[in-house]
Amino acid sequence: MSSVIRVGTRASELARTQTGHVTDALGAAADAAGTPVELETVHVTTEGDTTRASLSQLGGTGVFVAALRDALLDGRIDVAVHSLKDLPTAPAPGLTIAAMPPRESPFDALVARDGLTLAGLPRGARVGTGSPRRRAQLLAARPDLDVVDIRGNVGTRVARALGPDADLDAVVLAAAGLARIGRSALVTEVLDPSVMLPAPGQGVLGVETRTGTAVPGLDALDHAPSRLAATAERALLARLEAGCAAPVGALASVSVSDTRMRIDLEVVVAALDGTRVLRHGASSSGPTIVAGSAYDVADAVESAASLGINLAEIVLEMGAADIAPLR
């Protein structure tokens, strides 16, 4: 007899789609392990779903996840699926991010009228985003733009640029979100990281459980390179003491040679008006591995976290806190 696993999700189209991918993979993994489960999806409303205030006004950190975490802790759900970039970096007592499935594209995407690119937008073009990080980097690249604060689900934001009543020339969204709901064809440009570094953890899903709770098949969903990249990015953000609403972008990449693992990490801290930008990078060689074997993930995670902390220390010494509001 299969056990029932209740999977919590926000009710937006994107959140439901992301959760559907996770539940499908979880069911398949549990079946393959000989421990079939019955999966039930539970919709949970968060503060971020009920207010129209801007992300910067809300403080950003935790507004999309607190209600899901409460539901986990009080036993209404057994698993919660989050967009990792929405999760606070501080550990949540009693909860564990048990799996990070393979990362979707970490990059930001421009959705613009008439197929326009960022460089092709006319002077004074109105570009919508609810993210201070995106605002700062847009203005650094194109100080002539009129960046408009917007909120709403993916469809609502896209309609502001492409709908019959469009009042914007373009919007900036996560490429991962558009891909997951099958709307990548709307993208007119995937923004190069030299122009816009993504939010730490962007494109990664965090599957959270109560600490000590074993969920059949969940271990098989964890993707080590995605976890390592996200660990480096989030450790950097934590050391900066910056929330997900801070104008901070970070991107890590992981590569494994015959004998060595390497993580490359880049960070950007930008003034909200785009007039000052600090960008820096660092690399770390992880634990030595035996040719042809899997590396020790625990040691690699520690190496990734150290890289993020060390890079944060460097940019703090370079004056990051003087450039942008980090808290």
Side-chain angles (χ1 to χ4, degrees), residues 9 13 17 22 43 46 59 65 81 97 105 210 228 241 272 285 290 294 296 300:
T9 178
E13 178 190 12
T17 301
V22 170
H43 294 165
T46 71
V65 304
V81 180
I97 303 174
S105 169
R210 288 183 294 279
L228 296 177
E241 299 183 359
L272 289 173
S285 293
V290 178
D296 187 309

Side-chain angles (χ1 to χ4, degrees), residues 125-202:
R126 288 165 52 83
V127 181
T129 176
S131 162
R133 172 189 61 82
R134 289 172 179 151
R135 166 185 287 273
Q137 292 184 85
L138 280 170
L139 290 174
R142 288 284 310 269
D144 60 293
L145 295 177
D146 178 11
V147 181
V148 179
D149 187 61
I150 62 172
R151 284 290 312 279
N153 59 33
V154 172
T156 299
R157 286 180 284 165
V158 166
R160 296 284 299 271
L162 302 183
D165 299 317
D167 62 333
L168 302 174
D169 295 288
V171 293
V172 180
L173 305 164
L178 291 166
R180 287 183 175 128
I181 62 173
R183 305 190 76 178
S184 293
L186 299 178
V187 175
T188 56
E189 182 182 9
V190 175
L191 297 174
D192 191 270
S194 64
V195 174
M196 184 173 292
L197 280 181
Q202 186 162 300

Side-chain angles (χ1 to χ4, degrees), residues 17-43:
T17 301
Q18 291 177 163
T19 300
H21 294 325
V22 170
T23 55
D24 288 348
L26 182 57
D31 288 346
T35 54
V37 294
E38 180 182 340
L39 294 159
E40 176 187 338
T41 301
V42 179
H43 294 165

Side-chain angles (χ1 to χ4, degrees), residues 75-265:
R76 283 176 286 146
I77 59 176
D78 305 298
V79 174
V81 180
H82 307 285
S83 291
L84 192 65
K85 67 183 180 66
D86 294 332
L87 279 180
T89 54
L95 299 177
T96 298
I97 303 174
M100 296 184 197
R103 188 178 206 169
E104 185 61 78
S105 169
F107 303 117
D108 291 294
L110 189 77
V111 176
R113 63 173 177 83
D114 305 323
L116 293 170
T117 64
L118 181 60
L121 288 170
R123 290 186 60 82
R126 288 165 52 83
V127 181
T129 176
S131 162
R133 172 189 61 82
R134 289 172 179 151
R135 166 185 287 273
Q137 292 184 85
L138 280 170
L139 290 174
R142 288 284 310 269
D144 60 293
L145 295 177
D146 178 11
V147 181
V148 179
D149 187 61
I150 62 172
R151 284 290 312 279
N153 59 33
V154 172
T156 299
R157 286 180 284 165
V158 166
R160 296 284 299 271
L162 302 183
D165 299 317
D167 62 333
L168 302 174
D169 295 288
V171 293
V172 180
L173 305 164
L178 291 166
R180 287 183 175 128
I181 62 173
R183 305 190 76 178
S184 293
L186 299 178
V187 175
T188 56
E189 182 182 9
V190 175
L191 297 174
D192 191 270
S194 64
V195 174
M196 184 173 292
L197 280 181
Q202 186 162 300
V204 181
L205 298 180
V207 185
E208 196 168 42
T209 62
R210 288 183 294 279
T211 302
T213 300
V215 176
L218 190 53
D219 287 349
L221 270 61
D222 198 51
H223 183 246
S226 297
R227 181 177 284 275
L228 296 177
T231 295
E233 294 164 14
R234 286 168 58 79
L236 181 150
L237 193 67
R239 177 60 190 90
L240 292 177
E241 299 183 359
C244 62
V248 175
L251 182 63
S253 60
V254 179
S255 58
V256 179
S257 69
D258 287 340
T259 60
R260 205 73 167 167
M261 182 195 73
R262 176 187 171 97
I263 305 174
D264 296 296
L265 178 63

